[in-house]
Amino acid sequence: MPNALLYAIATLIWGSTWLAITFQYGSVPASASVAYRFLLAGLLLLGWCKLRGERLQLSRTEMAWSALQGALMFGVSYMLVYEAEKHIASGLMAVLNSSMVVINLVGMSLVFGRRMDQKSILGAALGILGIALVFWPELTDVRTASAWLGVACGLGAALLASLGNLVAQHNRNQQIPLLPSIGYGMLVGGGIALIFTLIHHQGLVFDTRPSYLASLLYLSIFGSVLAFAAYLTLLGRIGAAKSGYIAVAVPIVALLLSGWFEGFQWRIWTVAGIACAVAGNIIMLLDIAPVLRKLGLTRLAARLV
C-alpha cells in the first residue's frame, strides 16, 4: 500500500475520532472506556492475525517490547488524553498533541542518531504554528489551576505517545511481527486502563445506548485497528519523525468535521493556521527541491534536501 494512502487513512480516521470520543462521555469512567476500546481492538486484531495465519507466538523479548509499546501508546497516554479533556477544550488538546512532531524529531536524533535536517525542522515549526493559530482563542484561555492541570496531562500524553513511537521504531527495526505486536500491545494498554479503573473503585460501568456502542465499535475497529496498523506501517517505512507529522494533520480534519457537525466558527486565524499546517505537510512529506530550483531558489533547495 502506498505511503500516501497509509498517511491518508490514519489522518482521516483519527481526525474523526475526536467526534466519536464525545459519545463516550457520560456514565462510563474515561479509563473504563479506554479499557473497553483497546481490549476489544486487541482481540479483534489478534483474531484477524490468526485467520491470516500470521505468527502469534512471540519470544519473551519480543513480547516485552510489544508490551512496552502498548503501555505507552495505548494505555497511559490515552488515559491522560481523556483526563486532559475534562479540564481543557479538545482543540487545545489537539495543539498539545501536535508537540509530538518536535518530540519525535528530538527522540529520533537522541535514540537512533538521525540528524534533524532543516527540512524537517521547518515543516514541524510551520505545522505547530498552524495548529496554534487555528486554536489561538483556546490557547489564550488557560488561566485556572484546572486548565493548567489539563495542559500538564495533555503534554504528558504527547510525551508518552512519542516514547511509544520510539519503541515502535525499535520494534520495526528488530522486525517484530507488526500486527501481532500491535494486538498484544493493545491488550496490555487496555489491561492497564482496566486495572486503573478497578484500583480507583470507579466501577466497570457499561453504557448500552446505541450512540455509545456505535462509538466504541468505531473507535475500536477504525480508530484503533485500522488507523494504528496504517500509522505503524508508515512509521516503519519513513521513521517516527515524518510519520509523527500526522499529529498536525489530524486536528485540521477534526476542525473541518467540527465545522460541519458542531458549528465551529471560522476566523482569519483559522485560515492562516490551516495554510501554515498544509505548507508544513508539503515540506515534510514531499520533495519540493525541484520546484524551488525551477523558481531560482537553489540555495533554499539545497538546505531542504
Side-chain angles (χ1 to χ4, degrees):
M1 189 177 291
N3 290 346
L5 183 56
L6 293 172
Y7 187 91
I9 289 172
T11 300
L12 293 174
I13 291 177
W14 279 335
S16 65
T17 57
W18 294 95
L19 274 176
I21 286 175
T22 62
F23 293 99
Q24 298 273 287
Y25 294 123
S27 60
V28 181
S31 58
S33 288
V34 173
Y36 299 149
R37 171 180 176 176
F38 286 108
L39 289 174
L40 177 59
L43 291 173
L44 290 173
L45 185 53
L46 290 175
W48 173 247
C49 290
K50 185 173 180 63
L51 289 175
R52 286 166 51 92
E54 297 201 25
R55 176 167 69 92
L56 291 178
Q57 188 173 357
L58 305 184
S59 68
R60 288 185 178 181
T61 301
E62 290 174 332
M63 189 65 79
W65 280 105
S66 298
L68 179 59
Q69 176 184 323
L72 293 170
M73 186 173 288
F74 309 125
V76 184
S77 63
Y78 265 89
M79 287 193 291
L80 285 175
V81 168
Y82 275 76
E83 181 63 30
E85 291 195 23
K86 292 180 182 177
H87 305 279
I88 58 176
S90 60
L92 179 53
M93 182 61 227
V95 177
L96 299 173
N97 192 58
S98 69
S99 66
M100 281 177 53
V101 179
V102 173
I103 300 173
N104 282 354
L105 280 172
V106 175
M108 289 295 290
S109 176
L110 294 176
V111 178
F112 296 103
R114 297 187 183 180
R115 69 185 184 90
M116 292 187 286
D117 57 273
Q118 293 188 25
K119 175 182 176 180
S120 297
I121 294 173
L122 177 59
L126 280 173
I128 293 179
L129 173 62
I131 298 300
L133 286 173
V134 167
F135 297 106
W136 182 251
E138 294 177 1
L139 285 171
T140 58
D141 197 36
V142 181
R143 297 187 182 92
T144 65
S146 176
W148 283 111
L149 175 61
V151 169
C153 289
L155 288 174
L159 175 60
L160 289 174
S162 292
L163 292 175
N165 284 331
L166 296 179
V167 174
Q169 183 71 67
H170 167 272
N171 292 351
R172 297 297 287 145
N173 293 346
Q174 297 300 312
Q175 297 184 334
I176 298 175
L178 176 64
L179 295 182
S181 67
I182 297 174
Y184 288 124
M186 286 180 174
L187 292 182
V188 170
I192 290 173
L194 181 65
I195 292 170
F196 178 88
T197 304
L198 294 174
I199 289 177
H200 286 76
H201 305 290
Q202 295 179 343
L204 293 179
V205 180
F206 192 79
D207 193 339
T208 57
R209 288 177 304 147
S211 59
Y212 185 88
L213 294 174
S215 64
L216 177 61
L217 289 174
Y218 182 79
L219 290 169
S220 298
I221 298 172
F222 292 91
S224 300
V225 174
L226 292 180
F228 273 108
Y231 171 70
L232 292 173
T233 300
L234 187 67
L235 182 146
R237 293 181 183 178
I238 66 176
K242 287 186 177 180
S243 59
Y245 202 81
I246 287 175
V248 168
V250 164
I252 300 301
V253 176
L255 180 66
L256 294 173
L257 291 175
S258 180
W260 290 330
F261 294 102
E262 298 178 324
F264 179 84
Q265 297 298 314
W266 288 69
R267 303 178 178 86
I268 185 63
W269 297 110
T270 311
V271 178
I274 289 178
C276 285
V278 170
N281 264 287
I282 293 172
I283 290 172
M284 181 73 83
L285 299 172
L286 301 180
D287 183 10
I288 62 170
V291 177
L292 293 175
R293 293 192 188 99
K294 288 182 180 180
L295 295 174
L297 303 173
T298 53
R299 289 187 178 181
L300 180 59
R303 289 181 180 180
L304 296 181
V305 172

